[in-house]
Amino acid sequence: MIRKILHILFLPCSEATLLMEKRNANTISSREKRKLNMHLMICKWCRMYKQKLEVLDKILASTFAERETEINDSEIQNFKNKMFNKLNF
Ligand SMILES: [Zn+2]
């Protein structure tokens, strides 16, 4: 129950996932980083999402490095959308 309140008070999951994306793109502020870390401490779902995101990034990075083709942004976006749908965000 307390965790639920903290969740709503600090940062909703939808915003936490957004901040994770920002962190990956290195556009996150230190204040946002603190908020995100706080959220990750109390939210196991976002911790799981973060792990998946890290694995995903590694796979994507190695896939595109091997293929040496142009990175197709819409392809990546489609992939991410599918992930979001699966995770019900
Ligand atoms: Zn969360």
Side-chain angles (χ1 to χ4, degrees):
M1 184 59 191
I2 289 169
R3 275 168 188 257
K4 219 168 202 175
I5 294 167
L6 285 174
H7 238 100
I8 295 160
L9 226 63
F10 280 126
L11 190 70
C13 287
S14 56
E15 207 181 315
T17 54
L18 201 79
L19 289 182
M20 281 185 245
E21 296 278 347
K22 279 180 89 173
R23 188 167 66 177
N24 278 1
N26 280 327
T27 56
I28 192 167
S29 70
S30 54
R31 189 171 162 269
E32 286 173 328
K33 211 183 270 183
R34 270 201 304 277
K35 271 167 84 179
L36 176 60
N37 286 336
M38 204 116 76
H39 184 94
L40 288 173
M41 275 196 298
I42 57 162
C43 181
K44 70 171 181 177
W45 298 110
C46 285
R47 276 203 300 275
M48 277 164 60
Y49 178 81
K50 180 176 163 273
Q51 282 177 354
K52 281 195 174 123
L53 208 66
E54 281 166 359
V55 170
L56 207 71
D57 275 355
K58 271 183 200 155
I59 292 169
L60 282 178
S62 65
T63 302
F64 287 118
E66 278 166 24
R67 280 208 296 182
E68 281 185 10
T69 50
E70 234 174 82
I71 296 173
N72 188 335
D73 282 339
S74 66
E75 219 174 279
I76 295 172
Q77 199 53 51
N78 277 341
F79 194 56
K80 278 184 179 170
N81 287 343
K82 271 184 206 158
M83 283 288 294
F84 272 103
N85 287 340
K86 271 194 185 153
L87 293 164
N88 290 318
F89 280 120

